């Protein structure tokens, strides 16, 4: 049986063979613990981590000591939010975020709210975007942190993070940005964005799973962030635990490759994404496109189909690997909180497919995907008496 066409690159990506190649010696030859400071095995591993840290920092426009390696973006987000809130509680207890954030931001925010922090969750416009004046209006004297993602994982909408960060800075409010879906897909420079904290995850840009980083800008240091994981003082005391050397080396190599290729690849995927979009919209009526028409990731297309049952839509689509919304919450039968925040009616939110294209995606795959989707939706509509 042939495997379905994979169009779910926002959920995860295959590891690039060049990344695997860079990682392999770390499992065998350079297996040392970078914390072993008394022998050559440890020194070799520490040198690999130092080199990886320098490369990640350079790719993001920050200093090496500003990169804290974590197990991925979920942990990075938790550290950014809970670590800042706990450290800053004396200064204030108000946090601002947005309704379409990933659960890895919303859940820690809700936990903090249950612990006595005050939370403002900003709504979005019909394209899924927050406007800077909304953020300014939400700021209070006791606001300590604003958390706003750069690119949404389900609909691809980009937020004006640099503008928001500049406005927050004037008010002395810290800014965290979950850039997990943006890194590698569009240029991301943490310094130019002007944020204090930035999360990323290697498996979204052809690196391994289980590794990522939190960028902690220098000005957000000393006492401004407390660790969640303690025990040995690794990563400047902000994230203890023996370092995942192969993962860290893989993360750095993957980021370097993605950044080198970013512009050309973004253009290629943009063209393919538009071909997919026009192919489907040109042959089917009653299709709603979600996300911002322009301020959007080049690889992402979210479409809602009128007149079809959501469950049937996905179940019958065996030749395509796509997502009903966020892969991380697809075990949850409620409609996606992102689509709900857009104001999409429930029946449409349920009948939504997220297509996300990636490095291996070909023109032939896109052409085939258009045929598969059109045929399938037409069949479902015929079965329910709708043309
Ligand atoms: N934030 C966003 C925007 C994401 O898309 C994801 C992954 N779905 C995460 C955070 C969580 O990342 P990780 O898989 O590294 O925990």
């Amino acid at each position: 049986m042939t495997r379905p066409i994979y169009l779910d690159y926002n959920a995860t990506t295959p590891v690039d063979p060049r990344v695997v190649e860079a990682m392999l010696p770390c499992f065998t030859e350079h297996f040392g613990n970078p914390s072993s400071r008394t022998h050559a095995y440890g020194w070799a591993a520490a040198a690999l981590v130092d080199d990886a840290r320098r490369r990640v920092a350079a790719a993001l426009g920050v200093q090496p000591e500003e990169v804290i390696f974590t197990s991925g973006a979920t942990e990075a987000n938790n550290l950014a939010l809970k670590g800042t809130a706990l450290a800053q509680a004396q200064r204030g207890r108000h946090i601002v975020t947005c309704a379409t954030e990933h659960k890895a931001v919303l859940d820690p925010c809700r936990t903090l709210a249950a612990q006595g922090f005050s939370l403002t969750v900003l709504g979005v416009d019909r394209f899924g975007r927050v406007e800077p004046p909304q953020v300014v209006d939400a700021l209070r004297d006791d606001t300590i942190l604003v958390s706003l993602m750069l690119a949404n994982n389900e609909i691809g909408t980009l937020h004006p993070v640099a503008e928001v960060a500049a406005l927050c800075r004037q008010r002395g409010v810290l800014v965290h940005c979950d850039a997990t879906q943006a890194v590698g897909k569009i240029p991301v420079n943490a310094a130019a964005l002007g944020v204090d904290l930035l999360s990323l995850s290697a498996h979204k840009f052809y690196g391994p799973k289980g590794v990522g980083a939190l960028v902690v800008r220098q000005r957000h240091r000393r006492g401004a962030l407390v660790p969640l994981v303690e025990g040995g003082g690794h990563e400047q005391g902000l994230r203890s635990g023996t370092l995942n050397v192969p993962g860290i080396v893989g993360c750095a190599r993957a980021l370097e490759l993605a950044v080198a290729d970013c512009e050309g690849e973004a253009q290629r995927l943009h063209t393919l994404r538009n071909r997919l979009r026009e192919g489907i919209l040109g042959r089917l009526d009653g299709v709603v496109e979600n996300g911002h028409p322009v301020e959007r990731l080049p690889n992402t297309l979210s479409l809602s189909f009128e007149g079809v049952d959501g469950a049937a839509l996905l179940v019958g689509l065996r030749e395509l690997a796509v997502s009903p919304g966020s892969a991380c919450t697809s075990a949850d039968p409620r409609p996606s909180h992102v689509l709900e925040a857009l104001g999409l009616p429930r029946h449409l939110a349920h009948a939504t497919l997220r297509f996300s294209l990636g490095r291996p995606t070909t023109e032939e795959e896109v052409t085939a995907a258009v045929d598969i989707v059109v045929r399938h939706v037409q069949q479902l509509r015929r079965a329910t008496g709708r043309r």
Side-chain angles (χ1 to χ4, degrees):
M1 203 185 105
T2 54
R3 292 207 295 176
I5 298 170
Y6 189 81
L7 292 175
D8 206 8
Y9 291 91
N10 285 8
T12 196
T13 60
V15 181
D16 188 302
R18 294 167 291 180
V19 172
V20 175
E21 197 187 324
M23 291 172 70
L24 283 176
C26 309
F27 291 102
T28 50
E29 193 185 344
H30 304 305
F31 66 90
N33 186 332
S35 301
S36 298
R37 302 204 189 275
T38 52
H39 53 68
Y41 295 85
W43 302 331
L48 287 170
V49 170
D50 287 349
D51 183 55
R53 198 186 303 282
R54 268 195 299 275
R55 289 159 182 246
V56 170
L60 299 169
V62 298
Q63 296 304 311
E65 57 277 14
E66 295 180 314
V67 175
I68 304 298
F69 287 113
T70 65
S71 64
T74 299
E75 186 192 335
N77 288 345
N78 271 267
L79 175 58
L81 293 157
K82 294 178 186 163
T84 300
L86 296 178
Q88 305 279 319
Q90 300 305 321
R91 262 190 60 215
R93 299 176 76 84
H94 180 227
I95 296 167
V96 178
T97 189
C98 163
T100 57
E101 292 293 314
H102 194 271
K103 290 284 163 83
V105 164
L106 291 175
D107 287 350
C109 281
R110 289 190 188 119
T111 297
L112 289 167
Q115 291 171 358
F117 285 84
S118 167
L119 181 65
T120 299
V121 181
L122 300 171
V124 291
D125 65 16
R126 68 194 173 97
F127 302 124
R129 220 165 122 93
V130 156
E131 291 304 329
Q134 267 178 281
V135 180
V136 174
D137 286 348
L139 297 182
R140 312 190 315 213
D141 288 344
D142 62 339
T143 308
I144 47 174
L145 183 67
V146 170
S147 183
L148 190 61
M149 72 201 321
L150 193 48
N152 184 271
N153 45 306
E154 290 187 39
I155 55 175
T157 294
L158 305 175
H159 283 308
V161 171
E163 286 157 82
V164 166
L167 292 164
C168 288
R169 191 121 195 249
Q170 286 169 11
R171 304 273 300 256
V173 174
L174 297 165
V175 178
H176 165 246
C177 178
D178 178 357
T180 307
Q181 289 292 344
V183 172
K185 297 192 181 95
I186 57 172
V188 176
N189 182 308
L193 278 175
V195 298
D196 301 281
L197 299 148
L198 182 135
S199 308
L200 59 107
S201 184
H203 76 97
K204 305 290 186 182
F205 48 84
Y206 309 92
K209 293 168 184 60
V211 63
L214 180 66
V215 171
V216 183
R217 297 309 311 278
Q218 220 41 276
R219 59 174 186 263
H220 185 57
R221 270 302 157 83
R222 303 285 156 242
L225 189 66
V226 299
L228 305 182
V229 182
E230 294 173 294
H234 307 75
E235 297 298 274
Q236 300 164 65
L238 287 175
R239 200 277 187 176
S240 286
T242 301
L243 296 184
N244 170 7
V245 181
I248 289 168
V249 167
C251 177
R253 182 76 181 119
L255 184 55
E256 224 167 39
L257 291 169
V259 167
D261 209 18
C262 189
E263 219 175 293
E265 185 60 3
Q267 193 50 53
R268 191 184 77 88
L269 292 180
H270 186 261
T271 304
L272 285 180
R273 194 267 314 272
N274 286 354
R275 188 162 301 180
L276 179 66
R277 174 186 179 277
E278 280 144 29
I280 295 172
L281 294 182
R283 284 166 60 188
L284 288 176
D285 58 12
V287 183
V288 175
E289 185 176 6
N290 307 303
H292 197 280
V294 180
E295 296 297 331
R296 180 157 38 128
L297 287 175
N299 77 319
T300 306
L301 179 67
S302 169
L303 298 177
S304 304
F305 299 88
E306 305 255 18
V308 299
D309 173 63
L313 180 65
L314 207 73
V315 169
L317 211 54
R318 294 190 195 285
E319 297 153 275
L320 283 188
V322 293
S323 169
S326 171
C328 314
T329 55
S330 56
D332 188 340
R334 282 174 308 178
S336 127
H337 69 283
V338 175
L339 300 175
E340 240 171 11
L342 299 182
L344 205 66
R346 255 180 183 236
H347 71 278
L348 271 182
H350 276 300
T352 299
L353 297 177
R354 176 192 70 183
F355 306 87
S356 48
L357 284 55
R359 208 179 277 163
T361 304
T362 61
E363 209 175 306
E364 292 70 38
E365 285 183 324
V366 168
T367 306
V370 170
D371 285 340
I372 292 165
V373 171
V374 169
R375 199 174 355 109
H376 184 53
V377 170
Q378 282 172 341
Q379 261 166 16
L380 288 173
R381 284 178 176 171
R382 265 199 300 274
T384 55
R386 203 195 125 115
R387 258 181 24 84

